[in-house]
Amino acid sequence: MKPMLLLGAVIALLAALAPFLSIYGQHIFVLVALYGAVALAWNILGGMAGQMSLGHALFVGAGAYLSTALYLKLGVSPWIGLVLAACLGGALGALMGYTVFRRKLSGVYFALVTLALAEMTLHIVSNVSALGAANGLAIPARPSLANLQFTSKLGYCYAALAVLTVAAIVIIVIHRTRLGYVFLAIRENERSAAALGIDVVQGKVIAAAISGALAALVGPIYANYVLFIDPESVFGITLSIDALLFSFVGGLGSLFGPLLGTVVLVPLTELLRGMLAGRLAGIHLIVYGVILVLVMRLAPRGLWGLLSDAIARRRA
Amino acid sequence: MSGPLLQVRGVSRWFGGLRAVDEVSFDLESHEIVGLIGPNGAGKTTLFETISGVIHPTKGAVTFDGSDITGHPPHRLARLGIGRTFQIVQPFRDVSVLENVIAGVLGPNRETSDPRAEAMAVLTRVRLDHRAGLLARNLSLPEKKRLEIARALATRPRLLLLDEVMAGLTPAEIDEIMVILADIRREGIALLIVEHVMRAIMSLSDRLVVMANGRKIAEGLPATVAADPAVIEAYLGRRHHGAA
Ligand SMILES: Nc1ncnc2c1ncn2[C@@H]1O[C@H](COP(=O)(O)OP(=O)(O)O)[C@@H](O)[C@H]1O
Ligand SMILES: [Mg+2]
C-alpha cells in the first residue's frame, strides 16, 4: 500500500501547488505532466519490459487525431474521444508488438519498426485533406467541461495531472502483480523467463498494448490544451526521442525515474528556448546530448539511481 | 495417470547431416533420478533441449504424464510441471536473488497467496536465504548454480531437468549440491540429471542412460552400466582419440 499512499500524497501536493503558480509556471506544469505521462508510458515497454521503442509519438498522435477528428467532424465528446484514444493506442501497440515479437526478431528490429511506423503515419496524415493534411487541425475554443476545454490554465494543470496519475497508478499496479515479474523476467533473460512458465511473446504484446494505450491518452489532452495539432508536432520523431531521453536520463530500470527526467529536462528546454529566443534553433538537442553523455558517464542508473543511492547513504 | 512420468520415444535431432540425437528412447518414473551421461558431444544437451521444448525433434515423440508434449513451447512445459536449469547459468542479473525466485513462483500463473514467503522458503531449501537481498550478478558461481535450481523449484515442478549443475564446482561445493538434490527427490520430484562429475551421478542416480555419438548405448543401474564394455569403450575410445 505504501507506494499508493506516497503517490496520493505527491499528487495532492502538486494539485495544491498548481493554483499558486504563475501563468508561465502553470504552462510548464502542464508540459511536465503531459511529457511525464508519455515518458512513464514509454518506460512500461522500454524500461520495465526492456523493449525499446523509437516511435511512441505514433500513439500520442493517433490519440490526438482520433479525438480531434471525431469532435470536429462528428461532434463526438472529447471525453469519449479520450476513451477511444486509449483503445486505439492499446490496439496499435498490441498489433505492432504481435507482428514483430511473434517472429522472435531482435530488439533493434522492433525499435526500427516503431520508428518507421510513426514516420509513415506522419506522412500519410500529412496527405489526408480530411485530417487537415500538413496544415493540421484547429479546434475552436469553446471552454466547457463537456468539451474538455478550460478557461484557465489551471484546468489543464488538473487534466494533465489526472493523465499522469492514471499512468502512475497503472505502473504501481503492474509492479505489485505478476505482470511486473513477467516484464522483469522478459527484460532480464527471455530464455529463463520461458523456462519459468512465462509466455514471452504474450508478455511483450501486453507491455506494448498498455504502453500504447497510456501514451495515446496524452494526445487528446494535449490537442485541447494547444487547440491545434499538426502531423509534425504529435507524430514527429522529436516527441518519440523525448520520451526515450527523459526515461534514460531519469533512470530506465526504475518505475518513476522517467518522471524525474521529465521534471528536469522539460523546464530546462523551455528556459533555453526563452533565453535564446529563436536564435540557434535546435540548441536544446545539443544540450540534451551533453546531458545524456554526462548522465551515462556519471550516473549509469540515471538521476533516480543517483537519488536513491544518496538516500541510502543518508540512512546508513 | 499411471505409467512413466516421462517417455522419450525414438527422438532424433539432426543438424544438417549431423545426427546430434539419433533414435533415443527411455522412460523416467515419478520419484526417480535418472542420470544422463556420455562423452562431450554425445548429444546430451540437445536431447535435453528437445525435452524442454527449446529444440524441436526431427523425429520421435515425448510424453509427459501420459500426454504428448512433442514440440510444445518451453513456457507450456514449465506450466505442466517440467522445470529446468541451464548448463550456462542464466540468472536475472540485475535484480535481487529473491526477485529471481519470485519470478519463478509467479511464472506458471497459478494461485499463490504469498509469493514472497514462498520464494523465501525455496531459497532456504537451497541454502541461499542469506543472499536474498543481493543482486544476482554478485553471487559466486556455486551460488548462481543454486539460484538456478531455486528458480526452477519455485515453479513447483514434478520433473526437474538439470544440465551440468556441478560443472566448475569444487568437491565441497559439489557435496552441498548433492545434499540439496537428495532433499529435492525426497519431496517427490523426479530428476533427469546431465552430469560429468561421475562420483555424484553414480551415487545420486537410480538409473543411468548412456549416450555416445547421438545414440543410447546403455541403460541400467549405475553399477551395471559402469561395467558395460560398450560404455567403457565409448569413454576410453574417446580418450585414445584425444591422445592420438
Ligand atoms: N545448434 C546446433 N547446430 C549444429 N550442431 C549442433 C548444435 N547443437 C549441438 N550441435 C552438435 O551436436 C552434437 C551434440 O552436442 P551436445 O548435445 O551439446 O552434446 P553434449 O551436451 O553431450 O556435450 C555435437 O556434435 C554438437 O557440435
Ligand atoms: Mg552439454
Side-chain angles (χ1 to χ4, degrees):
Chain A
M1 211 57 244
K2 228 179 89 194
M4 282 292 187
L5 284 177
L6 196 66
L7 175 70
V10 170
I11 299 297
L13 193 75
L14 288 173
L17 182 78
F20 300 102
L21 294 172
S22 66
I23 296 287
Y24 183 64
Q26 287 178 342
H27 172 65
I28 300 287
F29 187 107
V30 173
L31 289 186
V32 168
L34 290 182
Y35 274 104
V38 178
L40 287 183
W42 184 91
N43 193 50
I44 290 173
L45 182 61
M48 295 172 86
Q51 312 300 314
M52 299 282 163
S53 152
L54 282 176
H56 253 53
L58 173 65
F59 303 118
V60 180
Y65 265 91
L66 179 68
S67 77
T68 304
L70 284 177
Y71 175 65
L72 294 180
K73 311 287 170 192
L74 304 171
V76 176
S77 156
W79 289 94
I80 295 172
L82 202 57
V83 174
L84 294 178
C87 294
L88 177 62
L92 282 174
L95 201 68
M96 272 162 71
Y98 184 71
T99 35
V100 177
F101 295 135
R102 187 179 44 130
R103 291 170 215 274
K104 312 224 151 62
L105 295 165
S106 77
V108 176
Y109 193 87
F110 178 69
L112 291 179
V113 166
T114 54
L115 174 69
L117 277 176
E119 286 295 294
M120 248 169 57
T121 312
L122 186 153
H123 289 292
I124 291 170
V125 172
S126 302
N127 286 296
V128 175
S129 51
L131 294 176
N135 294 326
L137 294 170
I139 304 171
R142 295 189 201 111
S144 83
L145 194 60
N147 285 342
L148 201 54
Q149 289 182 22
F150 307 96
T151 40
S152 72
K153 280 213 178 347
L154 187 61
Y156 290 104
C157 284
Y158 290 141
L161 191 60
V163 171
L164 183 67
T165 308
V166 169
I169 289 173
V170 169
I171 284 169
I172 291 175
V173 169
I174 291 173
H175 183 67
R176 293 156 53 99
T177 52
R178 173 174 184 268
L179 202 51
Y181 284 92
V182 168
F183 292 174
L184 170 160
I186 291 172
R187 173 189 76 213
E188 292 285 323
N189 190 317
E190 294 185 12
R191 286 215 299 159
S192 290
L196 298 180
I198 291 166
D199 186 337
V200 171
V201 175
Q202 185 193 57
K204 289 180 185 174
V205 170
I206 291 173
I210 296 175
S211 183
L214 287 174
L217 217 45
V218 173
I221 306 286
Y222 172 82
N224 280 12
Y225 177 56
V226 183
L227 292 178
F228 171 74
I229 50 172
D230 68 349
E232 195 54 52
S233 64
V234 291
F235 284 115
I237 186 154
T238 320
L239 179 56
S240 296
I241 299 289
D242 282 347
L244 178 150
L245 202 72
F246 299 162
S247 297
F248 256 93
V249 170
L252 266 194
S254 65
L255 297 185
F256 293 110
L259 190 53
L260 191 62
T262 313
V263 168
V264 171
L265 289 182
V266 165
L268 192 71
T269 315
E270 290 303 305
L271 215 68
L272 281 172
R273 191 171 296 160
M275 271 162 48
L276 296 166
R279 281 168 288 145
L280 297 173
I283 184 86
H284 69 285
L285 290 178
I286 296 172
V287 175
Y288 277 6
V290 172
I291 289 174
L292 194 59
V293 170
L294 282 179
V295 166
M296 291 214 269
R297 291 283 310 171
L298 304 175
R301 283 164 51 237
L303 298 177
W304 190 270
L306 217 58
L307 201 69
S308 53
D309 286 352
I311 292 169
R313 233 176 290 124
R314 282 285 286 277
R315 288 223 183 111
Chain B
M1 202 78 214
S2 58
L5 183 62
L6 181 77
Q7 285 184 298
V8 177
R9 284 283 163 272
V11 165
S12 300
R13 173 67 211 209
W14 304 346
F15 293 113
L18 175 77
R19 300 187 174 201
V21 175
D22 193 7
E23 295 283 338
V24 172
S25 300
F26 69 92
D27 289 351
L28 188 148
E29 308 289 335
S30 44
H31 309 283
E32 196 181 20
I33 300 188
V34 170
L36 181 59
I37 64 171
N40 259 330
K44 305 181 296 294
T45 295
T46 305
L47 180 59
F48 226 73
E49 301 291 331
T50 310
I51 297 171
S52 62
V54 176
I55 294 178
H56 287 223
T58 311
K59 285 199 300 187
V62 183
T63 65
F64 182 68
D65 204 12
S67 42
D68 187 5
I69 57 163
T70 319
H72 282 199
H75 71 269
R76 289 256 302 272
L77 299 181
R79 289 176 187 206
L80 285 175
I82 303 181
R84 62 148 319 161
T85 63
F86 292 90
Q87 180 171 349
I88 297 161
V89 291
Q90 312 270 336
F92 302 135
R93 292 168 52 79
D94 288 324
V95 299
S96 75
V97 169
L98 182 63
E99 282 175 305
N100 267 267
V101 182
I102 295 176
V105 172
L106 296 174
N109 203 8
R110 55 176 160 68
E111 286 299 314
T112 45
S113 52
D114 191 347
R116 191 164 285 263
E118 204 174 307
M120 254 340 264
V122 175
L123 280 175
T124 310
R125 274 157 80 190
V126 302
R127 303 171 187 34
L128 267 183
D129 41 325
H130 60 298
R131 291 279 189 252
L134 221 61
L135 287 187
R137 66 182 320 140
N138 294 329
L139 293 180
S140 65
L141 178 67
E143 287 171 337
K144 280 184 185 140
K145 296 260 183 182
R146 264 143 59 204
L147 174 59
E148 194 88 356
I149 297 173
R151 217 170 41 176
L153 273 182
T155 66
R156 296 205 200 157
R158 293 161 64 201
L159 168 65
L160 201 50
L161 311 174
L162 303 175
D163 196 356
E164 302 213 19
V165 281
M166 301 181 194
L169 304 189
T170 67
E173 290 158 359
I174 288 171
D175 287 342
E176 208 167 0
I177 297 244
M178 283 176 65
V179 172
I180 291 167
L181 295 188
D183 283 352
I184 291 173
R185 83 95 58 86
R186 216 167 297 126
E187 291 160 17
I189 298 170
L191 295 170
L192 179 62
I193 308 178
V194 169
E195 201 52 71
H196 276 305
V197 182
M198 280 303 154
R199 166 174 75 89
I201 201 135
M202 284 293 172
S203 75
L204 275 173
S205 306
D206 300 313
R207 274 188 311 126
L208 290 182
V209 171
V210 190
M211 286 180 72
N213 297 320
R215 288 202 307 277
K216 182 176 88 173
I217 58 164
E219 177 177 3
L221 297 174
T224 323
V225 163
D228 190 319
V231 176
I232 295 166
E233 162 68 23
Y235 276 88
L236 287 182
R238 190 86 183 174
R239 208 169 298 161
H240 284 304
H241 183 79

Short mmCIF file of all heavy atoms in Angstrom, two decimals, chain B residues 78-83 104-105 108 110-113 118 125 151-159 189:
data_model
loop_
_atom_site.label_atom_id
_atom_site.label_comp_id
_atom_site.label_asym_id
_atom_site.label_seq_id
_atom_site.Cartn_x
_atom_site.Cartn_y
_atom_site.Cartn_z
N ALA B 78 6.80 -25.73 -18.75
CA ALA B 78 7.02 -25.29 -17.38
C ALA B 78 5.70 -25.30 -16.61
O ALA B 78 5.63 -25.68 -15.45
CB ALA B 78 7.64 -23.90 -17.37
N ARG B 79 4.63 -24.88 -17.27
CA ARG B 79 3.33 -24.85 -16.61
C ARG B 79 2.80 -26.26 -16.34
O ARG B 79 2.04 -26.48 -15.40
CB ARG B 79 2.32 -24.07 -17.45
CG ARG B 79 2.61 -22.58 -17.43
CD ARG B 79 1.68 -21.80 -18.32
NE ARG B 79 2.14 -20.40 -18.38
CZ ARG B 79 1.34 -19.39 -18.64
NH1 ARG B 79 0.07 -19.58 -18.87
NH2 ARG B 79 1.83 -18.17 -18.68
N LEU B 80 3.20 -27.21 -17.20
CA LEU B 80 2.77 -28.60 -16.99
C LEU B 80 3.53 -29.25 -15.84
O LEU B 80 3.10 -30.26 -15.30
CB LEU B 80 2.99 -29.42 -18.26
CG LEU B 80 2.02 -29.20 -19.41
CD1 LEU B 80 2.45 -29.99 -20.63
CD2 LEU B 80 0.61 -29.59 -18.99
N GLY B 81 4.68 -28.68 -15.48
CA GLY B 81 5.43 -29.24 -14.36
C GLY B 81 6.82 -29.75 -14.72
O GLY B 81 7.37 -30.59 -14.03
N ILE B 82 7.38 -29.23 -15.81
CA ILE B 82 8.76 -29.58 -16.15
C ILE B 82 9.65 -28.36 -15.90
O ILE B 82 9.57 -27.36 -16.61
CB ILE B 82 8.88 -30.03 -17.62
CG1 ILE B 82 7.97 -31.22 -17.88
CG2 ILE B 82 10.33 -30.37 -17.95
CD1 ILE B 82 8.03 -31.75 -19.30
N GLY B 83 10.46 -28.43 -14.87
CA GLY B 83 11.40 -27.35 -14.57
C GLY B 83 12.75 -27.67 -15.15
O GLY B 83 13.06 -28.84 -15.42
N GLY B 104 10.00 -17.06 -10.47
CA GLY B 104 9.75 -18.48 -10.63
C GLY B 104 8.43 -18.91 -10.01
O GLY B 104 7.70 -19.73 -10.57
N VAL B 105 8.12 -18.35 -8.85
CA VAL B 105 6.85 -18.68 -8.17
C VAL B 105 5.67 -18.23 -9.03
O VAL B 105 4.69 -18.96 -9.20
CB VAL B 105 6.77 -17.99 -6.78
CG1 VAL B 105 5.39 -18.18 -6.17
CG2 VAL B 105 7.85 -18.53 -5.85
N PRO B 108 4.45 -19.67 -13.66
CA PRO B 108 3.44 -20.57 -14.22
C PRO B 108 2.01 -20.06 -14.09
O PRO B 108 1.09 -20.71 -14.57
CB PRO B 108 3.62 -21.85 -13.39
CG PRO B 108 4.95 -21.74 -12.77
CD PRO B 108 5.19 -20.28 -12.54
N ARG B 110 -0.23 -19.68 -11.53
CA ARG B 110 -1.22 -20.40 -10.73
C ARG B 110 -1.46 -19.61 -9.45
O ARG B 110 -0.76 -18.66 -9.15
CB ARG B 110 -0.70 -21.81 -10.41
CG ARG B 110 0.65 -21.78 -9.73
CD ARG B 110 1.11 -23.16 -9.31
NE ARG B 110 2.54 -23.19 -9.11
CZ ARG B 110 3.18 -22.57 -8.13
NH1 ARG B 110 2.51 -21.85 -7.26
NH2 ARG B 110 4.49 -22.64 -8.01
N GLU B 111 -2.49 -20.03 -8.70
CA GLU B 111 -2.85 -19.32 -7.48
C GLU B 111 -1.72 -19.40 -6.45
O GLU B 111 -1.21 -20.48 -6.16
CB GLU B 111 -4.12 -19.93 -6.88
CG GLU B 111 -5.38 -19.57 -7.65
CD GLU B 111 -5.63 -18.08 -7.68
OE1 GLU B 111 -5.53 -17.44 -6.60
OE2 GLU B 111 -5.92 -17.55 -8.77
N THR B 112 -1.32 -18.26 -5.91
CA THR B 112 -0.39 -18.26 -4.78
C THR B 112 -0.84 -17.16 -3.83
O THR B 112 -1.22 -16.07 -4.25
CB THR B 112 1.06 -17.96 -5.20
OG1 THR B 112 1.05 -16.85 -6.09
CG2 THR B 112 1.73 -19.14 -5.86
N SER B 113 -0.78 -17.45 -2.53
CA SER B 113 -1.25 -16.46 -1.57
C SER B 113 -0.14 -15.48 -1.22
O SER B 113 -0.35 -14.29 -1.12
CB SER B 113 -1.78 -17.15 -0.31
OG SER B 113 -0.82 -18.04 0.19
N GLU B 118 6.79 -17.74 -0.22
CA GLU B 118 7.05 -18.99 -0.93
C GLU B 118 8.47 -18.99 -1.51
O GLU B 118 9.19 -19.99 -1.42
CB GLU B 118 6.01 -19.15 -2.04
CG GLU B 118 5.79 -20.57 -2.46
CD GLU B 118 4.64 -20.69 -3.46
OE1 GLU B 118 3.52 -20.20 -3.16
OE2 GLU B 118 4.86 -21.27 -4.52
N ARG B 125 15.56 -23.81 1.08
CA ARG B 125 15.81 -25.19 0.65
C ARG B 125 17.16 -25.34 -0.05
O ARG B 125 17.79 -26.39 0.05
CB ARG B 125 14.70 -25.66 -0.29
CG ARG B 125 13.50 -26.22 0.47
CD ARG B 125 12.26 -26.13 -0.39
NE ARG B 125 12.14 -27.19 -1.38
CZ ARG B 125 11.21 -27.18 -2.34
NH1 ARG B 125 10.35 -26.19 -2.43
NH2 ARG B 125 11.15 -28.17 -3.21
N ARG B 151 15.15 -21.25 -8.64
CA ARG B 151 14.16 -20.64 -9.53
C ARG B 151 13.31 -21.71 -10.21
O ARG B 151 12.09 -21.56 -10.33
CB ARG B 151 14.92 -19.82 -10.59
CG ARG B 151 14.24 -18.57 -10.97
CD ARG B 151 15.11 -17.70 -11.80
NE ARG B 151 15.89 -18.43 -12.79
CZ ARG B 151 16.67 -17.86 -13.69
NH1 ARG B 151 16.79 -16.56 -13.73
NH2 ARG B 151 17.35 -18.59 -14.54
N ALA B 152 13.95 -22.81 -10.60
CA ALA B 152 13.21 -23.91 -11.23
C ALA B 152 12.28 -24.57 -10.20
O ALA B 152 11.13 -24.89 -10.50
CB ALA B 152 14.17 -24.93 -11.82
N LEU B 153 12.78 -24.75 -8.97
CA LEU B 153 11.96 -25.35 -7.91
C LEU B 153 10.74 -24.50 -7.61
O LEU B 153 9.66 -25.03 -7.29
CB LEU B 153 12.77 -25.48 -6.62
CG LEU B 153 13.63 -26.70 -6.41
CD1 LEU B 153 14.30 -26.61 -5.05
CD2 LEU B 153 12.79 -27.96 -6.52
N ALA B 154 10.90 -23.20 -7.71
CA ALA B 154 9.81 -22.28 -7.38
C ALA B 154 8.60 -22.48 -8.28
O ALA B 154 7.48 -22.15 -7.90
CB ALA B 154 10.31 -20.83 -7.46
N THR B 155 8.81 -23.01 -9.48
CA THR B 155 7.69 -23.25 -10.38
C THR B 155 6.90 -24.50 -9.97
O THR B 155 5.92 -24.84 -10.61
CB THR B 155 8.15 -23.44 -11.84
OG1 THR B 155 8.94 -24.64 -11.93
CG2 THR B 155 9.00 -22.27 -12.33
N ARG B 156 7.33 -25.15 -8.91
CA ARG B 156 6.72 -26.39 -8.39
C ARG B 156 6.66 -27.49 -9.44
O ARG B 156 5.58 -27.98 -9.80
CB ARG B 156 5.29 -26.12 -7.90
CG ARG B 156 5.25 -25.19 -6.73
CD ARG B 156 3.99 -25.46 -5.95
NE ARG B 156 3.63 -24.36 -5.10
CZ ARG B 156 2.40 -24.14 -4.65
NH1 ARG B 156 1.41 -24.95 -5.00
NH2 ARG B 156 2.15 -23.14 -3.85
N PRO B 157 7.83 -27.87 -9.94
CA PRO B 157 7.87 -28.90 -10.99
C PRO B 157 7.61 -30.29 -10.43
O PRO B 157 7.78 -30.52 -9.23
CB PRO B 157 9.30 -28.80 -11.51
CG PRO B 157 10.09 -28.36 -10.33
CD PRO B 157 9.18 -27.46 -9.54
N ARG B 158 7.20 -31.20 -11.31
CA ARG B 158 7.15 -32.61 -10.93
C ARG B 158 8.36 -33.33 -11.50
O ARG B 158 8.71 -34.42 -11.06
CB ARG B 158 5.86 -33.24 -11.46
CG ARG B 158 4.65 -32.64 -10.75
CD ARG B 158 3.41 -32.87 -11.52
NE ARG B 158 3.13 -34.30 -11.61
CZ ARG B 158 2.36 -34.84 -12.55
NH1 ARG B 158 1.83 -34.07 -13.49
NH2 ARG B 158 2.14 -36.13 -12.57
N LEU B 159 8.96 -32.70 -12.51
CA LEU B 159 10.20 -33.22 -13.09
C LEU B 159 11.16 -32.05 -13.24
O LEU B 159 10.79 -30.99 -13.73
CB LEU B 159 9.91 -33.84 -14.46
CG LEU B 159 11.13 -34.17 -15.33
CD1 LEU B 159 11.98 -35.25 -14.69
CD2 LEU B 159 10.68 -34.61 -16.72
N ILE B 189 10.04 -35.05 -6.24
CA ILE B 189 10.28 -34.50 -7.57
C ILE B 189 11.24 -35.44 -8.32
O ILE B 189 12.27 -35.82 -7.78
CB ILE B 189 10.88 -33.09 -7.48
CG1 ILE B 189 9.90 -32.15 -6.77
CG2 ILE B 189 11.26 -32.56 -8.85
CD1 ILE B 189 10.49 -30.81 -6.40
#
